[in-house]
Amino acid sequence: MSSITPSMTENLAKVMPWPYALCDRKGMVVHCNDVFTRLVGVENSLESGLNIGEFMSTLQAGLQLNSLLAKTEKQAWHGKLKIVGRQNLAVEVLLQADMDTPNHVWLIVMENPVVNGQMILNPRSELRLLQILMDHTLDYVYFTDIHGRFVITNRAFQRALETQYPGQEVGKSIMDFVTKETSRWVSETDQEVLTSLKPIVNHVGLFQIRNGGAHWLQTTKMPVFDHNRLCIGLVSVSRDISEARQTENRLRQAIQRAEQANQAKSDFLANMSHEIRTPINGIIGMSELCLESDVTPDQDRYLQTVLNCSNTLLALVNDVLDFSKIEAGQLELENIDFDLRESIEDTMDQFVTLARDRGLELALKIDPALPSVVSGDPIRFRQVLNNLLSNAVKFTEEGEVIVSVRRLSVKNERLRIEVEVSDTGIGINPTRIENVFDTFIQGDSSTTRKYGGTGLGLSIARKLAKMMGGDVSVRSKLGEGATFIVELEMGCVSSETENEMITLEELHGCRVLIVDDNLTNRQILDEVCRHWGLSPATCDNGVKAIDRLERALEEGNPYQLLLLDQQMPGLSGTDVASLVHSRARLRDIKMIILTSAITQEERLRGSTMGIGRFLTKPVKQNALREAILDAFGLVIEGAKTSDPFFPRGHVMITPPADTSSLRILLVEDNPINQEVAMQRLSKLGHEVTLAGDGIEAVESYQSLKFDLVLMDVQMPKMDGLEATRRIREIEKSIDRRTPIIAMTARAMRGDEQICLDAGMDGYLTKPFRAAKMRDVLEHILERMEMESRATVSGPHYNPKAISKELSEEDREDMYLAARMFHENWEREFKSFNSDGPFDYNVMQHYAHTLKGASGLLRAIRLGQCAACLEDAAKRHDRAGVIEVLAQLDREGVLIRASLESFLLRS
């Protein structure tokens, strides 16, 4: 207390214009000025050992002034206090600990009192209040005039400038305290605000004092105007973000390390995929080769066991790799156009044999309102459906597995669909139903022992569904089967329903009798036939069917078509067909057999009874439609033009001399894979040349002619991608393109697209089954055989010679088609041959019409080009369209020239 002399307090009392008092922590007054004594109503000085609490108290109940004095440390307290003995009189007060004597507290009153809740401030009070508020903020605040000189600064900014005393900076500019670089950006931002008269918000810069510390500041600057709206300077508020900046740098480095770790994980997964699949490929391949040779029954059983275990191991590897890719964020969805119905039907095809062996009925019900072409990821869509179907068949001992697909909504060209997979299997315990989608969890631990599995399938299905904007749910009762419901979102591209209806117009009202003992199948076929404009009826056995046919004939309203299930109790489908065929008045009825399996003997027997077609269940709608049209001798339109192994369907192939076998270049570095592929291809009757790496492949291709190249991707010296690029360069000078199919054990994101971008035409993932290899070869053989035996268009197209071999009716059709093509070709084709945007819907319709005309003209190559154009337009593939248009232009000119001569002579 003795540190303050009387002369100092006297001078201080005269200088200070606002009330103040200095107290100790217990509230005892050490010193105060006259203004304060007048305010609290005391005539004499309070410096006589009196307590401040006798004259002032808090407004808030329970809050004691002495408590505030005791707690005030570095943080000031700002609030209102009542003057004891004066009604409705309160003042704003600041309590601040003394910097030199922490045991003392300054009580400073904002000069004007608050009466009845209202304070009237004069300019001097406003300035003081502004200074107090500025000094108690952590941000750097200052005001400069239009010349950049400091007018007011707060305590935080003074500390940042490292000034020796408060006010040292007033009248000076920023360049007096900081480095040139800091001065430059501060001056530039100041000038921008003063020139534009607009604020700068959250500018980040390094604030560095000369020979001192540096801070990263986030600064906002605003112009200040006088009452005449003239700019008199600017105010700057900055926040020290050095710590946040360091945190950001650490986070950036952590993200970089995480990305490097993810890349390492991705590389590891790719190598894992390759290394694991390669030996599995050898096991499966050699087992299949052994089973195709002469083996004893015991050996056959042993090999089947090896093959089954290998398939189980492969499924496990696929699940683990897929799960790892999803968890590592390495799985991204494609967004391409694909045929939705075809994808569903092809997925179900994989379970036909297994379902038949287990005695299960496998049925598919597709909403007729579903668009034919959608956009999304067909591979992952099929994977979700595959996982659910696999579970349904696995856990169903008897009964049926039904897949139902329906449209939920279409909005802004976005389609939402629902897929239900229902079974009559063991069901799920209600207490476990919420856990079936958890990783490595199954509905009952006992099912793992009985049925096998990892518990990953449903988890993967749900994760993929969510990535596709949907989800998977389930409803089930123990012992009564389960229904898994998938909702997904896709792009809506186009629908071919109209084309289907046009094709079936001639059969409108055709009476169809559906004979099947399974109610679900009857309902599905009935709905499809009604959608096509046919007039169906159903019955559940052969005896009733014969009776219905007889009665309908007697009533003068006979049935024209009979759809027969083959596997029925009592009379089978072929038995019913035999009875129909034996009745002379029923022989005109067209018959189609629907079957899960049929023997060669039954097929031969059926052909003698006039059965038009045998279709495998579950029946594909396009296949059924084509079979019905074929049975009535109508033109089949809308046949599948795209090749699943050749996404770039515009590849033209030169047929070999002998189309019963292929000359194949096998490029493979692994000895086991070499042996498997060589044996498999040789057994199928093909001629194989082996190359151990990409360099040998290129050399072999330069010296020999091949019909097909099977190219491994990962090889030493030169990999398959580079070898493919070299081969495509060679082909530019020899006017020939040979299909190249990738064979790889890699199964990571984008691998297929990488192969296609390198110039390959298809993609097979190892290990591939004999059936998968056969499918690839059969597609190639079919295309080559068609070209080798059919009359081709182009320079060898001779319409006159073709017309001589036709019937009179077909000749008239050809002449009409020739005249229409000759008159309209140039005008119609030129409308597409431009650099502007394509109307893909119009182009697709044109290509479809041209394909039909090509058939009437017997111009095979022109028809192939038209089919490729239709496929490219359906996929909105601009590059593919442009390439096919060039081929179509050449073919069209040649055809038109040949037809001109034909029309003149006819």
Side-chain angles (χ1 to χ4, degrees):
M1 296 182 189
S2 59
S3 60
I4 299 177
T5 65
S7 60
M8 290 173 60
T9 58
E10 184 180 353
N11 292 333
L12 186 61
K14 292 178 180 179
V15 171
M16 301 296 281
W18 53 85
Y20 76 87
L22 181 65
C23 310
D24 65 15
R25 294 289 181 175
K26 295 180 181 180
M28 300 303 294
V29 177
V30 177
H31 169 72
C32 67
N33 64 355
D34 295 339
V35 181
F36 187 84
T37 60
R38 291 196 301 272
L39 177 66
V40 298
V42 178
E43 295 182 359
N44 300 317
S45 174
L46 293 178
E47 298 178 43
S48 57
L50 297 177
N51 193 295
I52 197 69
E54 297 178 19
F55 308 100
M56 307 187 80
S57 64
T58 60
L59 291 170
Q60 184 177 344
L63 182 63
Q64 299 297 322
L65 178 58
N66 286 348
S67 175
L68 290 175
L69 294 171
K71 292 180 179 178
T72 301
E73 296 290 344
K74 293 183 179 179
Q75 283 290 97
W77 182 84
H78 176 241
K80 294 179 181 179
L81 295 179
K82 287 195 305 183
I83 306 298
V84 176
R86 295 196 181 186
Q87 188 177 7
N88 296 329
L89 181 60
V91 291
E92 281 204 25
V93 172
L94 179 73
L95 296 179
Q96 172 71 58
D98 188 80
M99 296 179 64
D100 296 324
T101 310
N103 191 41
H104 289 170
V105 178
W106 286 96
L107 189 154
I108 303 173
V109 179
M110 309 307 162
E111 181 180 347
N112 304 86
V114 177
V115 179
N116 295 326
Q118 182 176 4
M119 174 183 280
I120 302 173
L121 296 174
N122 59 39
R124 186 175 61 184
S125 299
E126 290 178 349
L127 185 61
R128 177 58 188 162
L129 181 60
L130 173 63
Q131 185 69 56
I132 291 172
L133 293 175
M134 286 173 55
D135 284 345
H136 289 86
T137 178
L138 298 177
D139 292 339
Y140 304 161
V141 183
Y142 65 82
F143 172 79
T144 57
D145 61 18
I146 59 174
H147 302 295
R149 295 186 294 260
F150 292 115
V151 177
I152 301 174
T153 64
N154 74 337
R155 190 173 298 172
F157 187 63
Q158 293 164 8
R159 286 196 295 268
L161 292 180
E162 299 180 2
T163 57
Q164 296 177 357
Y165 55 88
Q168 180 188 0
E169 73 286 353
V170 175
K172 297 181 180 179
S173 67
I174 194 71
M175 66 179 62
D176 295 317
F177 299 93
V178 299
T179 62
K180 289 183 179 180
E181 181 61 28
T182 299
S183 176
R184 182 190 60 77
W185 73 258
V186 172
S187 300
E188 286 179 356
T189 52
D190 285 357
Q191 193 60 38
E192 182 178 342
V193 171
L194 294 173
T195 302
S196 67
L197 301 181
K198 294 180 180 179
I200 290 177
V201 180
N202 294 338
H203 175 275
V204 176
L206 182 63
F207 190 84
Q208 189 165 10
I209 303 299
R210 291 180 187 175
N211 304 318
H215 313 272
W216 283 98
L217 299 185
Q218 185 178 58
T219 301
T220 295
K221 295 184 178 183
M222 295 161 286
V224 177
F225 303 93
D226 64 10
H227 63 281
N228 293 318
R229 296 298 299 165
L230 293 176
C231 182
I232 59 174
L234 62 82
V235 62
S236 173
V237 180
S238 302
R239 177 157 296 180
D240 190 337
I241 59 169
S242 300
E243 186 175 343
R245 186 89 174 189
Q246 292 173 359
T247 302
E248 181 183 343
N249 289 334
R250 287 194 295 269
L251 285 174
R252 188 179 292 110
Q253 293 171 3
I255 291 171
Q256 186 176 4
R257 288 194 297 270
E259 289 174 348
Q260 292 171 349
N262 275 339
Q263 183 59 47
K265 187 181 292 185
S266 175
D267 293 340
F268 171 75
L269 286 173
N271 291 330
M272 271 276 289
S273 172
H274 184 272
E275 295 302 323
I276 293 176
R277 290 171 188 270
T278 297
I280 294 178
N281 181 52
I283 296 170
I284 291 177
M286 289 299 185
S287 299
E288 289 179 339
L289 288 172
C290 287
L291 286 170
E292 293 169 6
S293 61
D294 294 329
V295 294
T296 66
D298 284 344
Q299 290 171 332
D300 183 272
R301 188 173 73 256
Y302 301 154
L303 289 170
Q304 284 291 355
T305 301
V306 172
L307 195 57
N308 290 338
C309 291
S310 300
N311 290 332
T312 301
L313 178 60
L314 181 60
L316 173 63
V317 169
N318 287 337
D319 280 349
V320 171
L321 288 174
D322 279 338
F323 181 76
S324 300
K325 283 187 284 186
I326 293 172
E327 291 297 300
Q330 294 297 322
L331 192 147
E332 289 185 1
L333 298 180
E334 300 282 352
N335 188 29
I336 60 176
D337 296 348
F338 68 97
D339 191 309
L340 179 60
R341 298 181 206 173
E342 184 180 283
S343 291
I344 298 168
E345 292 167 342
D346 288 348
T347 303
M348 293 195 69
D349 277 351
Q350 302 174 36
F351 296 91
V352 170
T353 302
L354 181 58
R356 181 191 64 211
D357 293 344
R358 296 175 69 90
L360 302 177
E361 191 74 32
L362 193 60
L364 171 61
K365 182 179 181 181
I366 297 183
D367 183 355
L370 273 177
S372 177
V373 182
V374 298
S375 63
D377 192 324
I379 294 176
R380 297 305 173 185
F381 168 71
R382 290 177 62 168
Q383 185 176 357
V384 171
L385 183 56
N386 184 290
N387 284 0
L388 298 181
L389 270 169
S390 177
N391 268 15
V393 174
K394 181 195 298 184
F395 296 119
T396 305
E397 300 287 350
E398 60 181 12
E400 61 187 14
V401 174
I402 304 170
V403 176
S404 304
V405 190
R406 69 186 182 97
R407 185 183 75 174
L408 293 179
S409 63
V410 178
K411 185 177 181 181
N412 298 328
E413 297 186 350
R414 298 298 298 174
L415 168 70
R416 196 159 189 88
I417 68 170
E418 180 184 83
V419 182
E420 281 193 0
V421 180
S422 303
D423 63 65
T424 55
I426 62 175
I428 304 170
N429 191 315
T431 61
R432 306 281 294 179
I433 201 166
E434 293 300 323
N435 304 115
V436 295
F437 296 105
D438 293 343
T439 306
F440 306 112
I441 298 295
Q442 292 190 333
D444 185 343
S445 59
S446 63
T447 61
T448 304
R449 296 190 295 272
K450 182 175 181 180
Y451 298 99
T454 62
L456 282 174
L458 291 178
S459 175
I460 291 171
R462 170 169 272 188
K463 289 177 184 293
L464 290 175
K466 287 185 175 180
M467 291 177 69
M468 290 186 276
D471 201 355
V472 183
S473 59
V474 60
R475 59 176 182 265
S476 176
K477 288 185 178 180
L478 195 61
E480 297 182 16
T483 299
F484 285 86
I485 305 101
V486 187
E487 281 194 25
L488 298 173
E489 187 174 280
M490 299 174 177
C492 184
V493 179
S494 68
S495 173
E496 293 185 350
T497 303
E498 185 179 347
N499 292 335
E500 293 175 359
M501 299 306 295
I502 292 172
T503 308
L504 288 161
E505 276 182 355
E506 295 183 51
L507 294 179
H508 185 78
C510 173
R511 298 201 71 204
V512 183
L513 183 60
I514 300 164
V515 188
D516 198 316
D517 63 308
N518 184 275
L519 174 62
T520 302
N521 285 333
R522 293 199 304 272
Q523 291 174 338
I524 291 172
L525 291 171
D526 181 83
E527 182 178 332
V528 170
C529 289
R530 290 184 188 280
H531 175 67
W532 286 342
L534 309 180
S535 180
T538 65
C539 65
D540 58 6
N541 65 66
V543 175
K544 291 181 182 178
I546 297 297
D547 181 62
R548 291 279 291 272
L549 293 174
E550 294 280 4
R551 281 192 291 109
L553 191 63
E554 291 171 0
E555 294 168 358
N557 192 17
Y559 289 97
Q560 289 91 40
L561 176 63
L562 193 57
L563 299 180
L564 290 165
D565 180 31
Q566 173 62 12
Q567 288 81 23
M568 292 188 294
L571 298 177
S572 68
T574 49
D575 291 337
V576 176
S578 178
L579 291 173
V580 171
H581 186 69
S582 66
R583 290 162 167 75
R585 60 181 189 164
L586 297 179
R587 285 182 182 174
D588 290 339
I589 297 175
K590 311 299 182 183
M591 293 182 287
I592 297 173
I593 295 288
L594 314 177
T595 177
S596 299
I598 193 166
T599 65
Q600 187 64 25
E601 181 182 350
E602 289 173 324
R603 189 180 293 275
L604 291 173
R605 179 188 171 204
S607 64
T608 63
M609 295 181 295
I611 296 176
R613 192 83 69 91
F614 290 88
L615 297 180
T616 302
K617 296 167 67 177
V619 177
K620 298 180 179 180
Q621 287 190 19
N622 283 342
L624 178 60
R625 172 171 156 264
E626 290 178 17
I628 293 173
L629 291 170
D630 186 44
F632 287 94
L634 300 176
V635 176
I636 301 174
E637 295 187 19
K640 181 179 172 182
T641 59
S642 61
D643 188 329
F645 296 100
F646 297 91
R648 298 174 181 180
H650 48 273
V651 177
M652 296 295 183
I653 303 174
T654 304
D658 179 11
T659 56
S660 63
S661 66
L662 297 170
R663 294 179 294 273
I664 300 174
L665 175 60
L666 173 64
V667 190
E668 172 65 66
D669 67 307
N670 185 281
I672 297 176
N673 292 341
Q674 289 175 354
E675 180 68 20
V676 171
M678 290 280 287
Q679 291 286 344
R680 191 170 281 167
L681 294 169
S682 298
K683 284 192 173 187
L684 292 172
H686 302 294
E687 180 185 337
V688 185
T689 299
L690 178 65
D693 56 52
I695 295 175
E696 289 184 22
V698 174
E699 292 174 351
S700 297
Y701 191 84
Q702 287 177 311
S703 57
L704 298 171
K705 184 177 180 180
F706 298 98
D707 305 314
L708 172 67
V709 178
L710 296 177
M711 181 77 73
D712 187 23
V713 174
Q714 283 187 299
M715 294 182 294
K717 297 183 181 178
M718 181 187 292
D719 63 26
L721 301 175
E722 180 59 29
T724 299
R725 285 189 280 265
R726 299 272 184 98
I727 289 173
R728 293 304 182 218
E729 284 297 319
I730 294 171
E731 288 176 338
K732 290 180 180 178
S733 60
I734 60 177
D735 195 25
R736 182 179 83 239
R737 181 183 174 94
T738 301
I740 301 177
I741 306 298
M743 302 187 304
T744 177
R746 288 180 66 106
M748 294 301 290
R749 174 189 65 186
D751 285 338
E752 179 175 3
Q753 191 58 47
I754 291 172
C755 293
L756 297 178
D757 291 343
M760 297 181 178
D761 301 291
Y763 181 95
L764 287 175
T765 303
K766 298 175 186 175
F768 41 80
R769 307 294 200 282
K772 189 183 292 185
M773 175 68 78
R774 249 191 315 270
D775 285 343
V776 177
L777 302 178
E778 284 175 3
H779 275 284
I780 295 171
L781 281 171
E782 285 174 6
R783 294 167 67 179
M784 290 182 169
E785 190 173 356
M786 179 185 70
E787 289 198 2
S788 64
R789 70 167 183 249
T791 305
V792 297
S793 56
H796 305 295
Y797 177 68
N798 188 338
K800 187 173 183 181
I802 295 170
S803 68
K804 290 179 180 179
E805 300 177 1
L806 302 177
S807 64
E808 183 64 30
E809 186 178 343
D810 288 343
R811 191 179 299 118
E812 289 180 6
D813 289 344
M814 179 177 175
Y815 180 80
L816 179 61
R819 184 166 57 80
M820 295 293 292
F821 180 88
H822 185 267
E823 292 175 357
N824 300 323
W825 160 258
E826 188 168 357
R827 174 178 55 81
E828 292 181 347
F829 178 76
K830 293 300 182 183
S831 66
F832 301 114
N833 197 11
S834 66
D835 296 329
F838 293 133
D839 188 330
Y840 291 106
N841 291 330
V842 174
M843 183 176 290
Q844 186 179 338
H845 177 73
Y846 168 76
H848 188 78
T849 304
L850 180 60
K851 189 172 62 176
S854 302
L856 293 173
L857 293 171
R858 274 61 173 180
I860 304 300
R861 189 164 294 174
L862 182 68
Q864 289 176 331
C865 287
C868 294
L869 180 62
E870 182 182 21
D871 181 59
K874 185 184 295 184
R875 292 182 286 107
H876 291 199
D877 178 6
R878 183 176 179 84
V881 165
I882 293 173
E883 184 175 347
V884 179
L885 283 176
Q887 293 184 9
L888 199 56
D889 190 16
R890 292 192 295 269
E891 291 295 328
V893 170
L894 294 170
I895 289 290
R896 192 167 183 270
S898 299
L899 290 178
E900 189 170 358
S901 175
F902 168 66
L903 291 170
L904 288 173
R905 294 176 185 175
S906 299

